[in-house]
């Protein structure tokens, strides 16, 4: 298989008590795995074998129209989850640091104001999807959401960090109470990884 389910950079129970082991295991070994399998099928069907996920997701118009949606759904699902797992850490939480902290303060005035705005975007997203901190084409930080498995790199955005607000990401532990999941996420988001992405060329 061209695309594989990545190993998590931590154990399934490493994000406890904020993100429970059962949810992490099912989210990774079932949901993410299904996206992986379907991405490979969609890539084969569209004649894209051999290309990287980034090449595929940043050039969706090149895919035959009748083959495009499975690639967007499964390819985005594969890529977004890779990015999501790497955005989390057992040593996460706290506040943004370094150059990213400076840029957040410049854009939103304070980390607290940014946190409020990001939480509102994640909470307010209707249905399945994601809330992202990204750098836009003008080089400015933005908070955006994407529906289903739409990937921000497809519209030229540079993702910095993300929260998955699909119900499968939180329902087992938090039931329908998305705000509790968002509160938990702030304790496991890796600002080291976000800074690394933000300062990468
Ligand atoms: Mn998910």
């Amino acid at each position: 298989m061209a695309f594989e389910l990545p190993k998590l950079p931590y154990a399934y129970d490493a994000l406890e008590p904020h993100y429970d082991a059962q949810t992490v295991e099912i989210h990774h070994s079932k949901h993410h795995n299904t996206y992986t399998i379907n991405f490979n099928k969609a890539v084969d069907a569209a004649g894209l074998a051999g290309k990287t996920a980034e090449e595929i997701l940043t050039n969706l118009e090149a895919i035959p129209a009748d083959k495009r949606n499975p690639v967007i759904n499964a390819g985005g699902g594969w890529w977004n989850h890779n990015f999501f797992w790497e955005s989390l850490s057992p040593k996460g939480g706290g506040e943004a640091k370094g150059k990213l902290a400076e840029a957040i303060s410049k854009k939103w005035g304070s980390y607290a104001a940014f946190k409020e705005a990001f939480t509102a975007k994640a909470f307010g997203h209707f249905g399945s999807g994601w809330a992202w901190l990204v750098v836009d084409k003008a080089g400015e930080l933005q908070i955006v959401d994407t529906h289903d498995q739409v990937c921000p790199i497809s519209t030229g955005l540079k993702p910095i960090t993300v929260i998955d607000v699909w119900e499968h990401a939180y329902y087992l532990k938090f039931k329908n109470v998305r705000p509790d999941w968002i509160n938990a996420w702030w304790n496991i988001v890796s600002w080291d990884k976000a800074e690394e992405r933000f300062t990468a060329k």
Side-chain angles (χ1 to χ4, degrees), residues 54-142:
E54 288 73 17
E55 287 169 342
I56 292 167
L57 291 169
T58 57
N59 199 17
L60 295 173
E61 295 71 23
I63 304 170
D66 62 330
K67 305 279 197 295
R68 195 177 298 151
N69 277 339
V71 174
I72 293 170
N73 291 337
W78 182 79
W79 196 98
N80 294 347
H81 282 94
N82 290 355
F83 190 90
F84 170 71
W85 298 122
E86 290 177 0
S87 299
L88 305 179
S89 168
K91 294 175 180 165
E95 297 195 0
K97 46 189 86 173
K99 301 269 185 222
L100 179 58
E102 289 172 24
I104 284 173
S105 287
K106 192 173 164 207
K107 172 84 181 178
W108 286 281
S110 67
Y111 180 80
F114 155 73
K115 185 173 177 179
E116 192 176 323
F118 189 91
T119 297
K121 180 67 82 176
F123 175 64
H125 179 84
F126 183 76
S128 297
W130 304 78
W132 307 81
L133 176 64
V134 301
V135 176
D136 68 15
K137 289 177 190 167
E140 188 156 344
L141 284 174
Q142 303 289 351

Side-chain angles (χ1 to χ4, degrees), residues 165-184:
V165 293
W166 282 62
E167 281 193 344
H168 72 228
Y170 62 87
Y171 199 87
L172 281 174
K173 181 175 171 70
F174 301 104
K175 303 299 181 278
N176 59 316
V177 188
R178 187 186 290 180
D180 286 354
W181 159 229
I182 300 168
N183 284 336

Side-chain angles (χ1 to χ4, degrees), residues 22-42:
Q22 188 188 22
T23 302
V24 173
E25 179 167 1
I26 291 173
H27 198 176
H28 176 258
S29 69
K30 305 294 185 191
H31 292 280
H32 195 176
N33 192 50
T34 299
Y35 289 116
T36 306
I37 292 166
N38 289 337
F39 186 27
N40 283 297
K41 287 182 188 166

